[in-house]
Amino acid sequence: MSTIHFEHKGIGRALSHNKFVVPLNQREYSWEEEHVTDLFQDFSNAIANNKAPATYFLGTIVLTTSAEGNPEVCDGQQRLATTTILLAAIRDYFHGRRDTKRVSSIEHDYLFSTDVATTETVPQLSLNVDDNEFFRSYILPAAGSPERSIQPTKGSHHKIVRASELAAQHIKDILKQHKKENHVSILVNWLNFIADGAQVILLRVPDDLDAFVMFETLNDRGLETSKADLLKNRLFKRAGASRIKEAQQKWAYMKGVLESLGIPEVTVTYLRHLLITTHGPTKDREVLARVRTEIDSQQKSLEFLDSLATSATDYVAVINSNHPKWNGYSNATRRHIHTINQHLRVEQIRPLMFAVAKHFSAKEAQKAFRLFVSWSVRFLIAGGRGGLLDRHYANVAQQVGTGKITSAKELAKAMQDVVPTDAVFQAAFADARISQGFLARYFLRALELKFKDGNRSPHFDTPVHYVYYSGS
């Protein structure tokens, strides 16, 4: 397939007509109780509030094609898995009534089929390497089957169990509102709604790079996480089956470090910033293409994963001034980092901060971060063209990351034609209008502290320049 295809159908029909495969190394089942409950309630509301046939749009499911020809799910596995769990719960209700024909119909339409050649049971949805066996054993067999006695061993397994419990309870809640003689027709109506009314758009793209680009324009839940999954899958495939455990450990370590920030969807940004320190300017949509081009062997994949793991601590440290990394640095270094992140709230300079944290000595890093406060203030006051400034910072970050710049003095020289001069900054500050309250407070406090200190630098002839030196 060399073109992009769209297909509009019910999620039940999509499950019935395809054998979806979640790439083995993609993320695990992650929906919390509130997500599962919201989906089931949305279904209930659609059925209750719409004239027949009821409809509800579930969003886009992005697919590529596996080497075996099966559709691989790049985005949408949570919705597919949770809908499958609900279908299994409806099946279990009919199993309890010993309605074997409806049990068989649901199973063979939505849950699994039998391979004619091997006579093996083939699921309509296969999850990732951590969840697939548990999902096949706990969800697909009918209630009471010996396979259902499997015990959860991972957090995602417990989430699957909880989703199953919520699905069973939801069926009970639906039926208790109706007379017993109407229960079958009510659930048949639900099956029809899932088959055709709960609608999705299947977006089939040639490969994972096209899927990554699609995520730039689609508005759906979990897209950043899905983009990270694509990157992970690419790296894991290059690592190969013989070293997949090693690759998984490195990725898991990186994720654990990044999660300490409490910043949602930070992984792709981190990967982009790391690539900037080695390859220069890199846009979001260029990340996967660069990984595909540069990481073209098992060894390069493992080396890059190792860099991701070992560099994560430095990245977290440039966002958190209280990080233990700074214990061996001066207090001024912590103040400068705190100023940039909390008072000035600038992010464009982060790849350069990251490169300095990773490669500079403590002495040179302190000088560099002091410069970064200065530059950030000057650009905020005198202005700096966003895209152009990003490129300048990225170019210098690459020089630091590749060892071409090793000191604050060399940094200053590399940026001397970009940073506003004293005269330009003074003129701009005299006429500055600050709309953001946090910046106004910072500038006023910095000036106040400098006036109280009474220690003017001989380089400057006007108090406005003292903002340049503040680390407050």
Coordinates of all heavy atoms in Angstrom, one line a residue, residues 13-98:
R13 N -17.9 -3.7 13.5 CA -17.6 -4.2 12.1 C -16.1 -4.2 11.9 O -15.6 -5.0 11.2 CB -18.3 -3.3 11.1 CG -19.8 -3.3 11.1 CD -20.4 -4.7 10.7 NE -21.8 -4.6 10.9 CZ -22.6 -5.7 11.0 NH1 -22.0 -6.9 11.1 NH2 -23.9 -5.6 11.1
A14 N -15.5 -3.1 12.4 CA -14.0 -3.1 12.2 C -13.3 -4.3 12.9 O -12.4 -4.9 12.3 CB -13.5 -1.8 12.8
L15 N -13.8 -4.6 14.1 CA -13.3 -5.8 14.8 C -13.6 -7.1 14.0 O -12.8 -8.0 14.0 CB -13.8 -5.9 16.2 CG -13.2 -4.9 17.2 CD1 -14.0 -4.8 18.5 CD2 -11.8 -5.4 17.6
S16 N -14.8 -7.1 13.5 CA -15.3 -8.3 12.8 C -14.5 -8.6 11.5 O -14.2 -9.7 11.1 CB -16.8 -8.2 12.5 OG -17.2 -9.4 11.8
H17 N -14.1 -7.5 10.8 CA -13.6 -7.6 9.5 C -12.0 -7.6 9.4 O -11.4 -7.7 8.4 CB -14.1 -6.5 8.6 CG -15.6 -6.6 8.3 ND1 -16.3 -5.5 7.9 CD2 -16.5 -7.6 8.6 CE1 -17.6 -5.8 7.8 NE2 -17.7 -7.1 8.2
N18 N -11.4 -7.4 10.6 CA -10.0 -7.3 10.6 C -9.4 -8.2 11.8 O -10.1 -8.5 12.7 CB -9.5 -5.9 10.9 CG -9.9 -5.0 9.8 OD1 -9.2 -4.9 8.8 ND2 -11.0 -4.3 9.9
K19 N -8.1 -8.5 11.7 CA -7.4 -9.1 12.8 C -6.4 -8.1 13.2 O -5.2 -8.0 12.6 CB -6.8 -10.4 12.4 CG -7.8 -11.6 12.3 CD -7.2 -12.9 11.9 CE -8.3 -14.0 12.0 NZ -9.4 -13.7 11.1
F20 N -6.7 -7.2 14.1 CA -5.9 -6.1 14.5 C -4.7 -6.6 15.4 O -4.9 -7.5 16.2 CB -6.7 -5.1 15.3 CG -7.7 -4.3 14.5 CD1 -9.0 -4.5 14.8 CD2 -7.3 -3.4 13.5 CE1 -10.0 -3.8 14.1 CE2 -8.2 -2.7 12.8 CZ -9.6 -2.9 13.1
V21 N -3.6 -6.1 15.1 CA -2.4 -6.4 15.9 C -1.8 -5.1 16.5 O -1.5 -4.2 15.8 CB -1.3 -7.1 15.1 CG1 -0.1 -7.4 15.9 CG2 -1.9 -8.4 14.5
V22 N -1.7 -5.1 17.8 CA -0.9 -4.0 18.5 C 0.5 -4.4 18.4 O 0.9 -5.5 18.9 CB -1.4 -3.8 19.9 CG1 -0.5 -2.8 20.6 CG2 -2.8 -3.4 20.0
P23 N 1.4 -3.6 17.8 CA 2.8 -4.0 17.7 C 3.4 -4.5 19.1 O 3.0 -3.9 20.1 CB 3.5 -2.7 17.3 CG 2.5 -2.0 16.5 CD 1.2 -2.3 17.2
L24 N 4.1 -5.6 19.1 CA 4.5 -6.2 20.3 C 5.1 -5.3 21.3 O 5.0 -5.5 22.5 CB 5.4 -7.4 20.0 CG 4.7 -8.6 19.3 CD1 5.8 -9.7 19.0 CD2 3.6 -9.1 20.0
N25 N 5.8 -4.3 20.9 CA 6.5 -3.4 21.8 C 5.8 -2.1 22.1 O 6.4 -1.2 22.6 CB 7.9 -3.2 21.3 CG 8.7 -4.5 21.1 OD1 8.7 -5.3 22.0 ND2 9.3 -4.7 19.9
Q26 N 4.6 -2.0 21.6 CA 3.9 -0.7 21.9 C 3.4 -0.8 23.4 O 3.6 -1.8 24.1 CB 2.7 -0.6 21.0 CG 2.4 0.9 20.6 CD 1.2 1.1 19.8 OE1 0.1 1.3 20.4 NE2 1.3 1.0 18.5
R27 N 2.8 0.4 23.8 CA 2.5 0.5 25.2 C 1.4 -0.5 25.6 O 0.7 -1.0 24.8 CB 2.2 1.9 25.6 CG 0.8 2.3 25.2 CD 0.6 3.8 25.5 NE -0.7 4.3 25.2 CZ -1.2 4.7 24.1 NH1 -0.5 4.6 23.0 NH2 -2.5 5.1 24.0
E28 N 1.3 -0.7 26.9 CA 0.4 -1.7 27.5 C -1.0 -1.1 27.6 O -1.2 0.1 27.3 CB 0.9 -2.1 28.9 CG 0.8 -1.1 29.9 CD 2.0 -0.1 29.9 OE1 2.9 -0.3 29.0 OE2 2.0 0.9 30.6
Y29 N -2.0 -1.9 28.0 CA -3.3 -1.4 28.2 C -3.2 -0.4 29.4 O -2.7 -0.7 30.5 CB -4.3 -2.5 28.6 CG -5.7 -2.0 28.7 CD1 -6.5 -1.8 27.6 CD2 -6.2 -1.8 30.0 CE1 -7.8 -1.3 27.8 CE2 -7.5 -1.3 30.2 CZ -8.3 -1.1 29.1 OH -9.6 -0.6 29.2
S30 N -3.7 0.8 29.2 CA -3.5 1.9 30.2 C -4.7 2.6 30.7 O -4.6 3.5 31.5 CB -2.5 2.9 29.6 OG -3.0 3.5 28.5
W31 N -5.9 2.3 30.2 CA -7.0 3.1 30.6 C -7.4 2.8 32.1 O -7.4 1.7 32.6 CB -8.2 2.7 29.7 CG -8.4 3.6 28.5 CD1 -7.4 4.5 28.1 CD2 -9.5 3.8 27.7 NE1 -7.9 5.2 27.0 CE2 -9.1 4.8 26.7 CE3 -10.8 3.3 27.7 CZ2 -10.0 5.2 25.8 CZ3 -11.6 3.7 26.7 CH2 -11.3 4.7 25.7
E32 N -7.6 4.0 32.8 CA -8.0 3.9 34.1 C -9.5 3.7 34.2 O -10.2 3.8 33.2 CB -7.6 5.2 34.8 CG -6.1 5.6 34.8 CD -5.3 4.7 35.7 OE1 -5.9 3.9 36.5 OE2 -4.0 4.7 35.5
E33 N -10.0 3.5 35.4 CA -11.4 3.3 35.6 C -12.3 4.4 35.0 O -13.3 4.1 34.4 CB -11.7 3.2 37.1 CG -13.1 2.9 37.5 CD -13.3 2.6 39.0 OE1 -12.4 2.0 39.6 OE2 -14.4 2.9 39.5
E34 N -11.9 5.6 35.2 CA -12.7 6.8 34.7 C -12.8 6.8 33.1 O -13.8 7.1 32.6 CB -12.1 8.1 35.1 CG -10.7 8.4 34.6 CD -10.0 9.6 35.2 OE1 -10.4 10.7 34.7 OE2 -9.2 9.5 36.1
H35 N -11.7 6.3 32.5 CA -11.8 6.3 31.0 C -12.8 5.2 30.5 O -13.5 5.4 29.6 CB -10.4 6.0 30.4 CG -9.3 7.0 30.8 ND1 -8.2 6.6 31.5 CD2 -9.3 8.3 30.7 CE1 -7.5 7.7 31.7 NE2 -8.1 8.8 31.2
V36 N -12.7 4.0 31.2 CA -13.6 2.9 30.8 C -15.0 3.3 31.1 O -15.9 3.2 30.2 CB -13.2 1.7 31.6 CG1 -14.2 0.5 31.3 CG2 -11.8 1.2 31.3
T37 N -15.3 3.9 32.2 CA -16.6 4.3 32.6 C -17.2 5.4 31.7 O -18.3 5.3 31.3 CB -16.6 4.9 34.1 OG1 -16.1 3.8 34.9 CG2 -18.0 5.2 34.5
D38 N -16.3 6.3 31.3 CA -16.7 7.4 30.3 C -17.2 6.8 29.0 O -18.2 7.2 28.4 CB -15.6 8.4 30.1 CG -15.4 9.3 31.3 OD1 -16.3 9.4 32.2 OD2 -14.3 10.0 31.3
L39 N -16.4 5.8 28.5 CA -16.7 5.2 27.2 C -18.1 4.5 27.3 O -19.0 4.7 26.4 CB -15.7 4.2 26.8 CG -15.9 3.5 25.5 CD1 -15.8 4.5 24.3 CD2 -15.0 2.3 25.2
F40 N -18.3 3.7 28.3 CA -19.6 3.0 28.5 C -20.7 3.9 28.7 O -21.8 3.7 28.1 CB -19.5 2.0 29.7 CG -18.5 0.9 29.5 CD1 -18.1 0.2 30.6 CD2 -18.0 0.6 28.3 CE1 -17.2 -0.9 30.5 CE2 -17.0 -0.5 28.1 CZ -16.6 -1.2 29.3
Q41 N -20.5 5.0 29.4 CA -21.6 6.0 29.6 C -21.9 6.7 28.3 O -23.0 7.0 28.0 CB -21.2 7.0 30.7 CG -22.3 7.8 31.2 CD -23.5 7.0 31.7 OE1 -23.3 6.1 32.6 NE2 -24.7 7.2 31.2
D42 N -20.9 7.0 27.6 CA -21.1 7.7 26.3 C -21.9 6.8 25.4 O -22.8 7.3 24.7 CB -19.7 8.0 25.6 CG -19.0 9.1 26.2 OD1 -19.6 9.9 27.0 OD2 -17.8 9.3 25.9
F43 N -21.6 5.5 25.4 CA -22.5 4.6 24.6 C -23.9 4.6 25.1 O -24.9 4.6 24.3 CB -21.9 3.1 24.7 CG -20.7 2.8 23.9 CD1 -20.1 3.8 23.1 CD2 -20.1 1.6 24.0 CE1 -19.0 3.5 22.3 CE2 -19.0 1.3 23.2 CZ -18.4 2.3 22.4
S44 N -24.1 4.5 26.4 CA -25.5 4.6 27.0 C -26.2 5.8 26.6 O -27.4 5.8 26.2 CB -25.4 4.4 28.5 OG -25.0 3.2 28.9
N45 N -25.5 6.9 26.7 CA -26.2 8.2 26.3 C -26.6 8.3 24.9 O -27.6 8.8 24.5 CB -25.2 9.4 26.7 CG -25.0 9.5 28.1 OD1 -25.8 9.1 29.0 ND2 -24.0 10.2 28.5
A46 N -25.7 7.7 24.0 CA -26.0 7.7 22.6 C -27.2 6.9 22.3 O -28.1 7.3 21.5 CB -24.8 7.2 21.8
I47 N -27.3 5.8 22.9 CA -28.4 4.9 22.7 C -29.7 5.5 23.2 O -30.8 5.4 22.6 CB -28.2 3.5 23.3 CG1 -27.0 2.8 22.6 CG2 -29.4 2.6 23.3 CD1 -26.6 1.5 23.2
A48 N -29.6 6.1 24.4 CA -30.8 6.7 25.0 C -31.3 8.0 24.4 O -32.5 8.2 24.3 CB -30.5 7.0 26.5
N49 N -30.4 8.8 23.8 CA -30.7 10.1 23.4 C -30.9 10.2 21.9 O -31.3 11.3 21.4 CB -29.7 11.1 23.8 CG -29.5 11.2 25.3 OD1 -30.5 11.0 26.0 ND2 -28.4 11.5 25.8
N50 N -30.6 9.2 21.1 CA -30.7 9.2 19.7 C -31.9 8.4 19.2 O -32.2 7.3 19.7 CB -29.4 8.8 19.0 CG -28.3 9.8 19.1 OD1 -28.3 10.7 18.4 ND2 -27.5 9.6 20.1
K51 N -32.5 8.8 18.1 CA -33.5 8.0 17.5 C -32.7 6.9 16.7 O -31.6 7.0 16.3 CB -34.3 8.8 16.5 CG -35.2 9.9 17.1 CD -35.9 10.7 16.0 CE -36.8 11.8 16.7 NZ -37.5 12.5 15.6
A52 N -33.4 5.7 16.6 CA -32.8 4.6 15.9 C -32.5 4.9 14.5 O -33.4 5.6 13.8 CB -33.7 3.3 16.0
P53 N -31.4 4.5 13.9 CA -30.3 3.9 14.6 C -29.4 4.9 15.4 O -29.1 6.0 14.8 CB -29.5 3.2 13.5 CG -29.7 4.1 12.3 CD -31.1 4.6 12.5
A54 N -29.0 4.6 16.6 CA -28.2 5.5 17.4 C -26.8 5.5 16.8 O -26.3 4.5 16.3 CB -28.1 5.0 18.8
T55 N -26.1 6.7 16.9 CA -24.8 6.8 16.4 C -23.9 7.6 17.4 O -24.4 8.4 18.2 CB -24.7 7.5 15.0 OG1 -25.3 8.8 15.2 CG2 -25.4 6.7 14.0
Y56 N -22.6 7.3 17.4 CA -21.7 8.0 18.3 C -20.3 7.8 17.6 O -19.9 6.8 17.2 CB -21.6 7.3 19.6 CG -20.6 7.8 20.6 CD1 -20.8 9.1 21.2 CD2 -19.4 7.1 20.8 CE1 -19.8 9.6 22.1 CE2 -18.4 7.6 21.7 CZ -18.6 8.9 22.3 OH -17.7 9.4 23.1
F57 N -19.6 9.0 17.5 CA -18.3 9.0 16.8 C -17.2 8.8 17.8 O -17.0 9.6 18.7 CB -18.1 10.2 16.0 CG -16.8 10.3 15.3 CD1 -16.5 9.3 14.3 CD2 -15.9 11.3 15.5 CE1 -15.3 9.3 13.6 CE2 -14.7 11.3 14.8 CZ -14.4 10.3 13.9
L58 N -16.4 7.7 17.6 CA -15.3 7.3 18.6 C -14.0 7.9 18.2 O -13.0 7.7 18.9 CB -15.2 5.8 18.6 CG -16.0 5.1 19.7 CD1 -15.9 3.6 19.5 CD2 -15.4 5.4 21.1
G59 N -13.9 8.5 17.0 CA -12.6 9.1 16.6 C -11.9 8.2 15.5 O -12.5 7.3 14.9
T60 N -10.6 8.5 15.4 CA -9.8 7.9 14.3 C -8.9 6.8 14.9 O -8.4 6.9 15.9 CB -9.0 8.9 13.6 OG1 -9.8 10.0 13.1 CG2 -8.2 8.3 12.5
I61 N -8.9 5.7 14.2 CA -7.9 4.6 14.5 C -6.9 4.6 13.4 O -7.2 4.4 12.2 CB -8.7 3.3 14.6 CG1 -9.6 3.3 15.9 CG2 -7.7 2.1 14.7 CD1 -10.4 2.1 16.0
V62 N -5.6 4.8 13.7 CA -4.6 4.8 12.7 C -3.9 3.5 12.6 O -3.5 2.9 13.6 CB -3.5 5.9 13.1 CG1 -2.5 6.0 12.0 CG2 -4.2 7.3 13.3
L63 N -3.8 3.0 11.4 CA -3.2 1.7 11.1 C -2.1 1.7 10.1 O -2.1 2.5 9.2 CB -4.3 0.7 10.5 CG -5.6 0.7 11.3 CD1 -6.7 -0.1 10.5 CD2 -5.4 -0.1 12.6
T64 N -1.1 0.8 10.3 CA -0.2 0.5 9.3 C -0.3 -1.0 9.0 O -1.2 -1.6 9.6 CB 1.3 0.8 9.7 OG1 1.6 0.1 10.9 CG2 1.5 2.3 10.0
T65 N 0.5 -1.6 8.2 CA 0.4 -3.0 7.8 C 1.7 -3.7 8.3 O 2.8 -3.3 8.0 CB 0.2 -3.2 6.3 OG1 -0.9 -2.5 5.9 CG2 0.0 -4.7 6.0
S66 N 1.5 -4.8 9.0 CA 2.6 -5.7 9.5 C 3.2 -6.4 8.4 O 2.7 -6.5 7.3 CB 2.1 -6.6 10.6 OG 1.3 -7.6 10.0
A67 N 4.3 -7.1 8.7 CA 5.0 -7.9 7.7 C 4.1 -9.0 7.2 O 4.3 -9.5 6.1 CB 6.3 -8.4 8.2
E68 N 3.2 -9.5 8.1 CA 2.4 -10.6 7.8 C 1.1 -10.1 7.1 O 0.2 -10.9 6.7 CB 2.0 -11.4 9.1 CG 3.1 -12.1 9.8 CD 4.0 -11.1 10.5 OE1 3.5 -10.0 10.9 OE2 5.2 -11.4 10.7
G69 N 0.9 -8.8 6.9 CA -0.2 -8.3 6.2 C -1.4 -7.9 7.1 O -2.4 -7.5 6.6
N70 N -1.2 -8.0 8.4 CA -2.3 -7.6 9.3 C -2.2 -6.1 9.6 O -1.1 -5.6 9.6 CB -2.2 -8.4 10.6 CG -2.4 -9.9 10.4 OD1 -3.4 -10.3 9.7 ND2 -1.7 -10.7 11.1
P71 N -3.4 -5.5 9.9 CA -3.3 -4.1 10.3 C -2.7 -3.9 11.7 O -3.2 -4.5 12.6 CB -4.8 -3.7 10.2 CG -5.6 -5.0 10.4 CD -4.7 -6.1 9.8
E72 N -1.7 -3.1 11.8 CA -1.1 -2.8 13.1 C -1.6 -1.5 13.6 O -1.7 -0.5 12.8 CB 0.4 -2.7 12.9 CG 1.1 -4.0 12.7 CD 2.6 -3.9 12.9 OE1 3.2 -2.8 12.8 OE2 3.3 -5.0 13.2
V73 N -2.0 -1.5 14.8 CA -2.7 -0.4 15.4 C -1.6 0.6 16.0 O -0.9 0.3 17.0 CB -3.6 -0.8 16.6 CG1 -4.3 0.4 17.2 CG2 -4.6 -1.9 16.1
C74 N -1.5 1.8 15.3 CA -0.6 2.8 15.8 C -1.3 3.7 16.9 O -0.7 4.2 17.8 CB -0.2 3.7 14.7 SG 0.9 2.8 13.5
D75 N -2.6 3.9 16.7 CA -3.4 4.7 17.6 C -4.8 4.1 17.7 O -5.4 4.0 16.6 CB -3.4 6.2 17.3 CG -4.2 7.0 18.3 OD1 -3.7 7.0 19.5 OD2 -5.2 7.5 18.0
G76 N -5.3 3.9 18.8 CA -6.7 3.4 19.0 C -6.8 2.1 19.7 O -7.9 1.6 19.9
Q77 N -5.7 1.5 20.2 CA -5.8 0.2 20.9 C -6.6 0.3 22.2 O -7.3 -0.7 22.5 CB -4.4 -0.3 21.2 CG -3.6 0.4 22.3 CD -2.7 -0.5 23.1 OE1 -3.1 -1.6 23.5 NE2 -1.5 -0.1 23.3
Q78 N -6.6 1.4 22.9 CA -7.4 1.4 24.1 C -8.9 1.3 23.8 O -9.6 0.6 24.5 CB -7.1 2.7 24.9 CG -5.6 3.0 25.1 CD -4.9 2.0 26.0 OE1 -5.5 1.4 26.8 NE2 -3.6 1.8 25.7
R79 N -9.3 2.0 22.8 CA -10.7 1.9 22.4 C -11.1 0.5 21.9 O -12.2 0.0 22.2 CB -11.1 3.0 21.4 CG -11.1 4.4 21.9 CD -11.0 5.5 20.8 NE -9.7 5.6 20.3 CZ -9.4 6.2 19.2 NH1 -10.3 6.7 18.4 NH2 -8.1 6.3 18.8
L80 N -10.2 0.0 21.0 CA -10.5 -1.4 20.5 C -10.5 -2.4 21.7 O -11.4 -3.3 21.7 CB -9.4 -1.7 19.5 CG -9.5 -1.0 18.1 CD1 -8.2 -1.2 17.4 CD2 -10.7 -1.5 17.3
A81 N -9.6 -2.3 22.6 CA -9.5 -3.3 23.7 C -10.7 -3.2 24.6 O -11.3 -4.2 25.0 CB -8.2 -3.1 24.4
T82 N -11.1 -1.9 24.9 CA -12.2 -1.7 25.9 C -13.5 -2.1 25.3 O -14.4 -2.7 25.9 CB -12.2 -0.3 26.3 OG1 -10.9 0.1 26.8 CG2 -13.2 -0.1 27.4
T83 N -13.7 -1.9 24.0 CA -14.9 -2.3 23.3 C -14.9 -3.9 23.2 O -16.0 -4.5 23.4 CB -14.9 -1.8 21.9 OG1 -14.9 -0.3 21.9 CG2 -16.2 -2.2 21.1
T84 N -13.8 -4.5 23.0 CA -13.7 -6.0 23.0 C -14.1 -6.5 24.4 O -14.8 -7.5 24.5 CB -12.3 -6.4 22.6 OG1 -12.0 -6.0 21.3 CG2 -12.2 -7.9 22.7
I85 N -13.6 -5.8 25.4 CA -14.0 -6.3 26.8 C -15.5 -6.1 27.0 O -16.1 -7.0 27.7 CB -13.2 -5.4 27.8 CG1 -11.7 -5.8 27.8 CG2 -13.7 -5.6 29.2 CD1 -10.8 -4.8 28.5
L86 N -16.1 -5.1 26.5 CA -17.5 -4.9 26.7 C -18.3 -6.0 25.9 O -19.3 -6.6 26.4 CB -18.0 -3.6 26.2 CG -19.5 -3.2 26.3 CD1 -20.0 -3.3 27.7 CD2 -19.7 -1.9 25.7
L87 N -17.8 -6.3 24.7 CA -18.4 -7.4 23.9 C -18.3 -8.7 24.6 O -19.3 -9.6 24.6 CB -17.8 -7.5 22.5 CG -18.2 -6.4 21.6 CD1 -17.2 -6.3 20.4 CD2 -19.6 -6.5 21.0
A88 N -17.2 -9.0 25.3 CA -17.0 -10.2 26.0 C -17.9 -10.3 27.2 O -18.4 -11.4 27.6 CB -15.5 -10.3 26.5
A89 N -18.2 -9.1 27.8 CA -19.1 -9.1 29.0 C -20.5 -9.4 28.5 O -21.3 -10.1 29.2 CB -19.0 -7.8 29.6
I90 N -20.9 -8.9 27.4 CA -22.3 -9.3 26.8 C -22.3 -10.8 26.5 O -23.3 -11.4 26.8 CB -22.6 -8.4 25.6 CG1 -22.6 -6.9 26.0 CG2 -23.9 -8.8 25.0 CD1 -22.8 -6.0 24.8
R91 N -21.2 -11.3 25.9 CA -21.2 -12.7 25.7 C -21.3 -13.5 26.9 O -22.0 -14.5 27.0 CB -19.8 -13.0 25.0 CG -19.5 -14.5 24.6 CD -18.9 -15.3 25.7 NE -17.9 -14.6 26.5 CZ -16.6 -14.6 26.1 NH1 -16.2 -15.3 25.1 NH2 -15.7 -14.0 26.9
D92 N -20.7 -13.1 28.0 CA -20.7 -13.8 29.3 C -22.1 -13.8 29.9 O -22.6 -14.7 30.5 CB -19.8 -13.1 30.3 CG -18.3 -13.4 30.0 OD1 -18.1 -14.3 29.2 OD2 -17.4 -12.8 30.6
Y93 N -22.9 -12.7 29.6 CA -24.3 -12.7 30.1 C -25.1 -13.8 29.4 O -25.8 -14.5 30.0 CB -24.9 -11.3 29.8 CG -26.4 -11.3 30.0 CD1 -26.9 -11.2 31.3 CD2 -27.3 -11.5 28.9 CE1 -28.3 -11.2 31.5 CE2 -28.7 -11.6 29.1 CZ -29.2 -11.4 30.4 OH -30.5 -11.5 30.6
F94 N -24.9 -13.9 28.1 CA -25.6 -14.9 27.3 C -25.1 -16.3 27.7 O -25.9 -17.3 27.7 CB -25.5 -14.7 25.8 CG -26.3 -13.6 25.3 CD1 -25.8 -12.5 24.7 CD2 -27.7 -13.6 25.5 CE1 -26.5 -11.4 24.2 CE2 -28.5 -12.5 25.0 CZ -27.9 -11.4 24.4
H95 N -23.8 -16.4 28.1 CA -23.3 -17.7 28.5 C -24.0 -18.1 29.8 O -24.3 -19.3 30.0 CB -21.8 -17.6 28.7 CG -21.1 -18.8 29.2 ND1 -21.0 -19.2 30.5 CD2 -20.6 -19.9 28.4 CE1 -20.4 -20.4 30.6 NE2 -20.1 -20.8 29.3
G96 N -24.2 -17.1 30.7 CA -24.9 -17.4 32.0 C -26.3 -17.9 31.7 O -26.9 -18.7 32.6
R97 N -26.9 -17.5 30.6 CA -28.3 -17.9 30.3 C -28.3 -19.2 29.5 O -29.3 -19.7 29.0 CB -29.0 -16.8 29.5 CG -29.4 -15.6 30.2 CD -29.9 -14.5 29.3 NE -31.0 -15.0 28.5 CZ -32.3 -14.8 28.8 NH1 -32.6 -14.1 29.9 NH2 -33.3 -15.2 28.0
R98 N -27.1 -19.7 29.2 CA -26.9 -20.9 28.4 C -27.5 -20.7 27.0 O -28.0 -21.7 26.4 CB -27.6 -22.1 29.0 CG -26.9 -22.5 30.4 CD -27.5 -23.7 31.0 NE -26.9 -24.0 32.3 CZ -27.2 -25.1 33.1 NH1 -28.2 -25.9 32.7 NH2 -26.6 -25.3 34.2

